[in-house]
Amino acid sequence: MNEALRTWRYFGKAMIVFLLLALAFVYAMFEGGFVSWFLFYSFLPLAVYSVCIAIYPIKTWRVERTFKKGHYLSGDTLNVIVTIKRRVPFPLLYLVIEDHVSNSLLKHNKKETIKTVLFPWFRRHITYEYHMGKLLRGEHVFSAVRIKTGDVFGFIEKERICPIEQSVIVYPSYEKMAYVRLENRFEQGGASSRTKIERDTTMAVGVRDYQAGDRFSWIDWKATARKNAIMTKEFELQQSYDVVMFLDRTPSHQFESSVKFATSIAKAVLKTGARLGYVSSGEERFYLPLRGGQEQDQRLYYHFAKVQDNAEKDFATLLEAEVGKWPITTMFIIILSSLDYSYLKITDKLTARYRNIIIFIAKTDRSRVSSHEQEVADAFNKKGIYTKFVYENKFYAAFQGGTK
């Protein structure tokens, strides 16, 4: 219905041009004289141009959108180039180009940035380049490019929306840091180790349920036969250096700091050769088993690029549900956006099974720790859970000891 209406409106405007031209001719014929014919011949080329615009096909134009880079981090500037190629160099008085982008790109950029008016005349290749700064982490969608041109009076306007669907993934920025394993020995201070991970699979100290990523040689066939389920041997060093990370996705204005810190820790842990597992829960639960290497790093990096603070359940409930699902000496790294007493209710269950638990509260470099948060952190430390506040641009100090 809308398409038919636009078609009738388009032909209606074309008929107005012919009607005006006919009126000018009739006026010149009946009135005569220099002025009347001057008006007719002055309007004639404009009318002819309008007719030519009406029959000039813009559907044959080739419209492309390209990006200068293929990899972007939060805070970068996005350079977009819109290119139009046409075969017939018909003179165009003006050309409106507008890129259709997702609203996430317009939070720090004006809408006028993606729209411009050019005067191409006879050019066959038309290029428009614009920049969008302060990119936010996430996936940003470019859906279409709108082009519009017309005659002098606006009687004839031609518009085309070119569906060019593209997306740009902006990855979170991160800070390089050295991962140091902290042992929860609060009566003597935190003990740490920077030793490069080397596994010794000759000393088995127990068995556990099989997890994705376990080697075939680690399977304990006798225990598997007894329990009628695949059981894996646990080794001393394997227990000591595996890490599982939990990210709090409760809506918070500190969430971006938490994502940046989680990315920094993930890269630091995997760089040592350790295996890293990951759990977070928002609208959907996201889980990665204990694995190491570049593939795990890429999976986490892609997840951190798109993760949102859209948790519907209490984060403490998620942590409580994870008790018993990981080897007993796996280190727990819990990253929170805020700290309150609600988390204390699960500390007994966590500390009863897991020895090494670290809680980090990520904040922007301008944030300050409230007295309430410090009280809760002290309560966690007294229960044997290492708790520390970390700040952007100083994430490298996360494993340097101290709780402030």
Side-chain angles (χ1 to χ4, degrees):
M1 182 66 183
N2 292 334
E3 186 65 27
L5 183 61
R6 282 195 296 267
T7 302
W8 280 106
R9 186 177 298 174
Y10 177 78
F11 281 107
K13 290 183 176 180
M15 292 303 298
I16 292 176
V17 174
F18 283 108
L19 179 61
L20 291 176
L21 182 62
L23 290 175
F25 178 74
V26 171
Y27 175 74
M29 288 292 294
F30 283 95
E31 184 68 19
F34 173 78
V35 174
S36 58
W37 284 107
F38 177 79
L39 291 175
F40 172 73
Y41 285 112
S42 297
F43 181 70
L44 181 61
L46 299 178
V48 172
Y49 180 79
S50 298
V51 173
C52 292
I53 280 286
I55 62 176
Y56 178 64
I58 66 173
K59 290 185 177 181
T60 59
W61 292 4
R62 183 178 176 182
V63 183
E64 298 177 346
R65 183 198 302 111
T66 56
F67 308 106
K68 280 194 172 181
K69 293 198 309 182
H71 184 82
Y72 292 92
L73 298 178
S74 58
D76 285 352
T77 298
L78 175 66
N79 300 317
V80 185
I81 302 175
V82 178
T83 304
I84 299 175
K85 298 180 181 180
R86 56 190 185 127
R87 294 181 178 179
V88 181
F90 182 80
L92 297 176
L93 298 180
Y94 72 92
L95 178 65
V96 177
I97 302 177
E98 182 180 5
D99 209 351
H100 290 186
V101 304
S102 56
N103 292 330
S104 57
L105 283 170
L106 299 177
K107 290 184 178 179
H108 294 298
N109 297 274
K110 296 181 179 179
K111 193 173 182 180
E112 290 77 8
T113 305
I114 60 175
K115 184 177 181 180
T116 189
V117 179
L118 303 178
F119 306 96
W121 290 98
F122 293 94
R123 280 184 292 167
R124 290 186 178 182
H125 290 189
I126 305 167
T127 302
Y128 171 55
E129 181 175 351
Y130 66 91
H131 313 280
M132 308 197 80
K134 298 181 180 179
L135 289 178
L136 298 177
R137 177 189 58 83
E139 184 177 15
H140 307 289
V141 178
F142 295 75
S143 57
V145 175
R146 184 176 76 95
I147 54 177
K148 180 181 178 181
T149 188
D151 61 4
V152 179
F153 302 107
F155 290 129
I156 303 297
E157 291 182 342
K158 305 200 76 173
E159 181 178 340
R160 176 189 171 193
I161 296 180
C162 310
I164 308 175
E165 295 188 5
Q166 292 172 288
S167 62
V168 171
I169 296 179
V170 179
Y171 293 90
S173 57
Y174 61 91
E175 300 177 24
K176 292 184 178 180
M177 58 192 299
Y179 167 65
V180 179
R181 184 175 178 83
L182 298 174
E183 302 289 344
N184 287 350
R185 299 172 185 166
F186 286 96
E187 65 277 4
Q188 298 178 353
S192 64
S193 172
R194 283 194 172 188
T195 306
K196 184 78 174 180
I197 306 305
E198 295 180 0
R199 301 190 184 281
D200 181 4
T201 58
T202 61
M203 298 182 61
V205 295
V207 294
R208 59 171 172 80
D209 292 336
Y210 173 84
Q211 291 183 350
D214 287 345
R215 296 179 184 176
F216 183 78
S217 60
W218 293 351
I219 297 177
D220 189 319
W221 296 107
K222 292 182 179 179
T224 299
R226 285 197 307 267
K227 295 190 176 184
N228 198 28
I230 300 178
M231 305 299 293
T232 303
K233 298 176 184 177
E234 283 191 308
F235 304 101
E236 183 66 30
L237 289 181
Q238 178 185 335
Q239 287 182 323
S240 299
Y241 290 100
D242 285 343
V243 178
V244 59
M245 183 165 58
F246 299 89
L247 177 63
D248 179 13
R249 291 168 61 180
T250 304
S252 169
H253 64 281
Q254 303 283 359
F255 183 69
E256 291 302 317
S257 299
S258 296
V259 173
K260 184 177 180 179
F261 181 65
T263 306
S264 303
I265 282 194
K267 289 187 173 294
V269 170
L270 292 171
K271 188 177 180 180
T272 66
R275 297 194 308 171
L276 176 65
Y278 174 82
V279 179
S280 71
S281 182
E283 293 180 352
E284 295 181 355
R285 181 176 180 268
F286 185 84
Y287 160 81
L288 287 178
L290 286 167
R291 288 179 181 171
Q294 186 177 2
E295 185 178 352
Q296 186 80 334
D297 181 48
Q298 292 176 347
R299 288 176 179 172
L300 281 167
Y301 203 26
Y302 182 76
H303 167 73
F304 289 141
K306 303 181 69 173
V307 66
Q308 299 295 326
D309 53 342
N310 52 10
E312 298 176 351
K313 296 182 179 179
D314 182 44
F315 185 64
T317 304
L318 168 66
L319 289 176
E320 189 174 9
E322 294 298 319
V323 175
K325 294 183 178 180
W326 305 89
I328 58 176
T329 52
T330 298
M331 172 175 280
F332 273 32
I333 294 181
I334 303 169
I335 302 174
L336 304 176
S337 298
S338 61
L339 190 62
D340 57 60
Y341 282 107
S342 63
Y343 295 107
L344 286 173
K345 64 183 180 181
I346 63 167
T347 55
D348 292 336
K349 287 188 176 181
L350 288 174
T351 55
R353 182 173 178 85
Y354 301 101
R355 177 188 179 192
N356 297 312
I357 303 172
I358 302 177
I359 294 179
F360 289 110
I361 305 92
K363 292 183 174 293
T364 62
D365 51 3
R366 296 182 180 181
S367 300
R368 294 292 179 267
V369 179
S370 66
S371 58
H372 172 73
E373 287 181 316
Q374 190 59 57
E375 289 177 2
V376 179
D378 293 340
F380 272 110
N381 284 315
K382 290 178 180 178
K383 286 181 173 288
I385 298 179
Y386 184 84
T387 306
K388 184 171 184 177
F389 297 92
V390 291
Y391 301 88
E392 286 192 40
N393 302 320
K394 294 183 179 179
F395 287 159
Y396 60 85
F399 297 98
Q400 292 182 359
T403 59
K404 295 184 180 180

